[in-house]
Amino acid sequence: GVRQSRLRIRGASRPDAELLPTAQANPLTHAFGLGYTLGPAGRVWLARTQSYLPNRGQFADGAWLPASQARQWEAGWAWPAAPTAQPTSVAASAVVPPTIAVTAFDLQRSNLAVPDPQHADAYLLRGTQRSRGVEAHTSFGTGPLRWTISGTWMRPRITQTASPGTPGDYLAGVADRFASLRVQAPVPAALGLPSTQAWLRLTGSSSRPGDARASFRAPGWGVIDAGLQGQWPGQQKLHWGLQITNLTDRRYVRALTGPDNVWQGPERRLQLWIDMAW
């Protein structure tokens, strides 16, 4: 796929100043992938993605920050080669074949902006960021329960510098390990919710470096999401869902500087959706 975008940014250095054109661009981004089915051994793929991200803010001299460019390579393997339909009802078979997927990725992003320690409300270009890692995903069933487990291990680092520092510095506030556990089960018919599934998900991260040298670390975090999803009684084409994000309303202070990075995760939020197929 290829995308041609047109971007125009208007801004001002003070709240009471007139908004003036500060940046314009016509970025051409792309994504492509190539896959091959190995038969009983699953399938493999290779993909490349390029993106464009404007940087907000200014240098201390008033000049606006240049845009950030990113590109990602990834290679993966999944088994089985094609997803299989899994039963979801209580009476369904207790044996659900597992699915497994493993992906290796290499992500680079240029013009990484960080706060300027010498000037309030100004920024510096830290350099180029590179994150390399592996993602793993598996799902399987045990009796009426359906389990999904995901994990990410990566090494985020600064590879080139445009300000004081050396290549190999850590990215402050960015963890190198993430994990997610999701379990889903049918709601008992006695509760009056036929064809309804309940699910619970725990997502968390490891500790995070507090500065470029990882001289101290901020603690990791963990949040719980929960929800219901089902089919409207007597209506096969009408589905509904209820989701509570951050069920326990946990807020984690990053213990790091920067007004945009004080909290980890949103406050508790309730979402209700209805999907109708015509």
Side-chain angles (χ1 to χ4, degrees):
V2 178
R3 171 182 290 179
Q4 175 72 60
S5 304
R6 181 179 180 182
L7 177 69
R8 300 292 183 269
I9 298 178
R10 296 168 62 86
S13 58
R14 302 190 316 274
D16 58 345
E18 180 185 359
L19 295 180
L20 299 174
T22 61
Q24 60 181 15
N26 298 285
L28 180 67
T29 57
H30 66 264
F32 69 82
L34 177 66
Y36 183 75
T37 300
L38 303 174
R43 61 185 174 89
V44 293
W45 70 87
L46 177 68
R48 186 185 194 277
T49 305
Q50 179 184 337
S51 61
Y52 178 94
L53 179 66
N55 272 326
R56 65 175 183 174
Q58 297 170 274
F59 294 107
D61 61 4
W64 295 88
L65 296 175
S68 175
Q69 305 276 353
R71 69 111 181 98
Q72 174 175 310
W73 284 95
E74 71 171 53
W77 167 79
W79 179 87
T84 57
Q86 297 189 0
T88 57
S89 64
V90 176
S93 172
V95 179
V96 177
T99 62
I100 302 171
V102 179
T103 304
F105 62 88
D106 186 331
L107 170 65
Q108 291 194 44
R109 175 185 168 188
S110 64
N111 293 335
L112 182 66
V114 296
D116 187 339
Q118 304 298 326
H119 301 274
D121 302 323
Y123 292 85
L124 293 172
L125 290 183
R126 186 68 178 87
T128 300
Q129 165 194 344
R130 185 176 189 182
S131 299
R132 290 173 288 180
V134 177
E135 296 177 342
H137 174 93
T138 182
S139 61
F140 56 92
T142 57
L145 301 180
R146 302 295 175 258
W147 302 85
T148 302
I149 303 174
S150 302
T152 301
W153 298 265
M154 66 178 184
R155 186 179 184 274
R157 294 292 188 272
I158 299 295
T159 56
Q160 299 176 8
T161 58
S163 62
T166 59
D169 285 353
Y170 290 81
L171 290 176
V174 179
D176 55 10
R177 294 187 301 277
F178 300 87
S180 175
L181 171 64
R182 186 182 189 274
V183 59
Q184 177 177 306
V187 175
L191 297 180
L193 295 173
S195 304
T196 300
Q197 298 283 316
W199 59 269
L200 188 73
R201 179 176 60 216
L202 172 63
T203 305
S205 83
S206 64
S207 62
R208 295 150 290 147
D211 57 23
R213 295 299 181 182
S215 60
F216 72 97
R217 302 186 72 88
W221 54 268
V223 294
I224 298 175
D225 304 328
L228 297 171
Q229 60 188 44
Q231 177 182 306
W232 200 270
Q235 301 292 331
Q236 295 185 354
K237 295 184 178 181
L238 187 62
H239 296 81
W240 63 274
L242 174 68
Q243 176 174 323
I244 304 177
T245 303
N246 197 357
L247 178 66
T248 58
D249 201 24
R250 296 297 299 270
R251 308 303 305 285
Y252 291 88
V253 179
R254 282 183 175 267
L256 304 174
T257 59
D260 296 330
N261 296 310
V262 175
W263 301 105
Q264 176 63 53
E267 296 180 344
R268 182 166 48 211
R269 181 173 56 186
L270 179 66
Q271 295 174 289
L272 176 65
W273 56 267
I274 298 177
D275 185 13
M276 178 180 292
W278 295 92

